[in-house]
Amino acid sequence: MNDAARPLLSGKAVTTLVTPPLSPRKDHQIGTAALAALIFFSVSGGPFGMEECVLAGGPLLSMVGLVVLPVLWSAPEALITAELAPAFPESAGSVAWVEAAFGPFWGWMKGFLSWLSGVTDNALYPVLICDYLVSFFEKEAEVIGVAHGIHRVLLLLGLTLVLTYLNWRGLDVVGNAAILLMGLCMLPFVVMCVAGIIQYQSLDFTRLGQLPEGGWGAVQWSSILNILFWQLNYWDSVSTFAGDVKDPGHAFPRALAVALFVVVLSTLLPLAVAVAGTTFSYSDYTDGFFGKIGTALVGKWLGVMVALAAALSSVGMFEAEMASDAFSLMGMAERGHLPALFAQRSRHGTPTAAILCSALGIAFLATMSFLEILEVLNFLYMLAMLIEFGAFVRLRVSRPLMRRPYRIPLGTAGVSVMLTGPVVLLVCMMAMAPLKAWAICGVAVMVGCGLYFALHHPATRRCCVFLQDPFEASSATAGAWEPLMVVQVYGTDVVEEGEGEEEEEKEERKKGTGVMPYV
């Protein structure tokens, strides 16, 4: 595919541009604790959403899924991220891994599919924030008129705008906010679990082994798998922060291990206490039902805390997802796949154009229903993950000596066996997906291919400013890099070197001219 696509860039105009680095990147913005909190919100954000899982498969399958899926899916994905994110400490994240393994086309497709899946996922959170608050404060919402209609739409747009601004303020702000939000979100469930321990004698653990009303025939397998998968995926999304993390070689393995433990524990225990400590019918378990469970177990005040925690959890997930999506677009621009505009950072170190692009996508997709969004984002993410798994194995074979600050203690055969279960799971879930999801994702793949050829066409490269030729960068090895003072910019409408420079200075600068290295 690489050789076939390369002629697209033939005849490109190359202009030497002497310029300072594009952005005021902040060094070492986040530490291990903030990274763990961002991973927590990128993946889960707490047990919210598991109510629909109980409705679809009953407590038995929900609990089994929360034990099996972290081993089958979450741990392998987290281990891959721990190995490759520090090896490629740049904003492109997994795009850099795939590009190093398979070349620019597959790197672009991985980035496009992951970004589209992330934006689709992020469209859920303003809706969930609004739904949780409206469902619990229904009378107040009716009085002020935000339960439905144009006022609801304005509320959703307002929430998106405020949350986008918080994201623009900086990754350090988002990371510190994630730590605080994680504590606030978990507090009501800690109270719920403590109340369950105190009332141990009244808990009915036999309910944990029950199926939904109607038995095995009533199990909605597609729904339960999609919900569990959504609850336990996106471990690789934080790889886009690798260039802004203190000591990523040590921070990523530790943060991922902590986040995996917290994600499983914070979902499994509250769900077990909720089912065993109440007698609600499983058909009552819908979004926001944890608030009613808290009220039944302890009192009205805990129900209010759970409703507020649900809204705060959605805020945390929105911020983590938007930051990941925006930094991914910035990384793709740094690698020459997108115009240089997407690589420019604000004074807070954040990619302004990339954040705005993600925000527009969120506003557009927020009109879809929860289940439609869930099926589409999962399918897109599964396609991206199949590419990523292949790239991981390919790098183990083609670049065994590549610098890896952390390495999974398994050989190539061992990691291939480790990935067998996740690949089988992805294939099964894709086979169970509805035709609508196949159609939407098929169109998305065709759009991605079309954008690739359009953005890498000579006419586009002449009209827009690109930082480098992705085909030249694709042969680079893994490692950290820093933007050079002198870069090659692909396009014609660029600022030439400043007049009045001494010829000797120009010659010295030209000697150092080249693309940004990834060495």
Side-chain angles (χ1 to χ4, degrees):
M1 190 65 194
N2 301 349
D3 295 336
R6 192 179 181 86
L8 286 172
L9 293 175
S10 60
K12 60 181 179 291
V14 182
T15 303
T16 302
L17 175 66
V18 180
T19 179
L22 278 173
S23 56
R25 170 188 283 194
K26 294 183 179 180
D27 291 330
H28 308 317
Q29 286 186 302
I30 54 177
T32 303
L35 182 61
L38 286 171
I39 295 171
F40 172 77
F41 282 115
S42 295
V43 174
S44 171
F48 307 107
M50 285 302 296
E51 303 100 322
E52 293 279 353
C53 196
V54 176
L55 175 66
L60 174 61
L61 295 180
S62 299
M63 303 296 288
V64 170
L66 287 172
V67 173
V68 174
L69 206 60
V71 177
L72 179 66
W73 172 262
S74 300
E77 188 183 4
L79 285 170
I80 289 176
T81 303
E83 177 170 319
L84 291 183
F88 293 82
E90 54 180 284
S91 301
S94 56
V95 174
W97 319 344
V98 175
E99 195 163 316
F102 297 130
F105 173 77
W106 290 106
W108 159 265
M109 288 303 297
K110 171 63 172 71
F112 175 75
L113 291 173
S114 294
W115 176 81
L116 195 58
S117 173
V119 170
T120 307
D121 179 41
N122 227 8
L124 289 171
Y125 301 126
V127 177
L128 287 176
I129 294 170
C130 186
D131 285 347
Y132 274 119
L133 295 177
V134 168
S135 66
F136 209 83
F137 303 103
E138 189 172 354
K139 293 182 180 179
E140 293 82 352
E142 289 289 347
V143 171
I144 60 177
V146 295
H148 33 254
I150 187 64
H151 294 93
R152 176 183 170 84
V153 174
L154 292 175
L155 176 61
L156 290 174
L157 292 177
L159 284 171
T160 302
L161 182 63
V162 171
L163 296 177
T164 299
Y165 173 75
L166 177 61
N167 211 279
W168 178 76
R169 282 301 307 275
L171 194 57
D172 50 350
V173 174
V174 174
N176 292 331
I179 296 174
L180 176 62
L181 289 172
M182 185 168 69
L184 293 175
C185 291
M186 291 299 98
L187 181 59
F189 292 102
V190 171
V191 174
M192 184 185 296
C193 291
V194 171
I197 294 173
I198 294 174
Q199 303 173 33
Y200 177 81
Q201 299 296 332
S202 63
L203 297 181
D204 183 7
F205 290 104
T206 61
R207 284 172 56 83
L208 300 179
Q210 295 178 356
L211 294 169
E213 297 175 5
W216 290 102
V219 175
Q220 303 171 35
W221 292 104
S222 179
S223 295
I224 192 173
L225 283 174
N226 271 290
I227 295 168
L228 285 169
F229 187 74
W230 173 65
Q231 189 76 9
L232 296 167
N233 66 7
Y234 283 100
W235 294 92
D236 66 327
S237 62
V238 291
S239 62
T240 57
F241 309 143
D244 295 84
V245 173
K246 295 179 182 178
D247 192 9
H250 289 89
F252 267 90
R254 294 172 182 173
L256 285 161
V258 170
L260 180 59
F261 176 78
V262 174
V263 164
V264 175
L265 201 65
S266 65
T267 307
L268 192 63
L269 288 183
L271 187 63
V273 171
V275 172
T278 63
T279 57
F280 291 110
S281 170
Y282 304 137
S283 60
D284 294 333
Y285 280 69
T286 55
D287 284 333
F289 196 68
F290 271 114
K292 295 180 180 178
I293 292 173
T295 299
L297 282 173
V298 179
K300 177 74 173 180
W301 62 272
L302 184 59
V304 173
M305 284 185 63
V306 171
L308 293 175
L312 292 175
S313 174
S314 295
V315 170
M317 289 188 285
F318 182 98
E319 296 298 339
E321 186 63 60
M322 172 167 273
S324 173
D325 296 339
F327 273 74
S328 177
L329 287 184
M330 182 178 71
M332 292 173 72
E334 290 172 343
R335 284 188 158 254
H337 289 295
L338 292 172
L341 173 66
F342 288 92
Q344 293 180 346
R345 296 195 188 211
S346 69
R347 66 179 182 273
H348 303 293
T350 49
T352 303
I355 287 176
L356 289 176
C357 185
S358 296
L360 289 174
I362 292 166
F364 176 76
L365 292 167
T367 57
M368 296 174 65
S369 70
F370 178 85
L371 190 56
E372 287 177 332
I373 292 177
L374 195 63
E375 290 172 344
V376 171
L377 74 89
N378 278 346
F379 200 103
L380 290 169
Y381 187 71
M382 287 186 281
L383 291 175
M385 288 308 302
L386 287 174
I387 299 173
E388 184 176 310
F389 289 161
F392 176 77
V393 176
R394 175 69 180 272
L395 287 175
R396 274 296 190 95
V397 174
S398 63
R399 300 188 181 185
L401 301 180
M402 182 180 73
R403 182 178 66 86
R404 294 171 169 87
Y406 170 80
R407 185 184 180 93
I408 301 173
L410 294 172
T412 303
V415 295
S416 299
V417 172
M418 180 187 75
L419 293 177
T420 301
V423 170
V424 171
L425 174 67
L426 294 181
V427 172
C428 290
M429 289 187 63
M430 291 172 68
M432 295 171 62
L435 290 177
K436 186 175 182 179
W438 277 89
I440 293 174
C441 295
V443 171
V445 169
M446 290 189 288
V447 169
C449 292
L451 284 174
Y452 173 81
F453 285 98
L455 288 168
H456 296 76
H457 194 276
T460 307
R461 310 298 287 195
R462 287 193 295 268
C463 294
C464 301
V465 175
F466 291 79
L467 294 182
Q468 61 177 309
D469 179 349
F471 294 99
E472 293 176 6
S474 64
S475 60
T477 57
W481 61 268
E482 292 295 336
L484 298 178
M485 293 295 290
V486 185
V487 298
Q488 284 182 348
V489 177
Y490 292 82
T492 55
D493 298 324
V494 297
V495 180
E496 298 292 341
E497 294 175 343
E499 296 181 1
E501 280 190 313
E502 296 293 335
E503 290 298 320
E504 293 182 0
E505 292 179 355
K506 289 185 179 181
E507 289 300 322
E508 287 299 321
R509 292 188 178 187
K510 288 179 180 178
K511 289 179 182 179
T513 303
V515 298
M516 294 180 185
Y518 291 79
V519 181

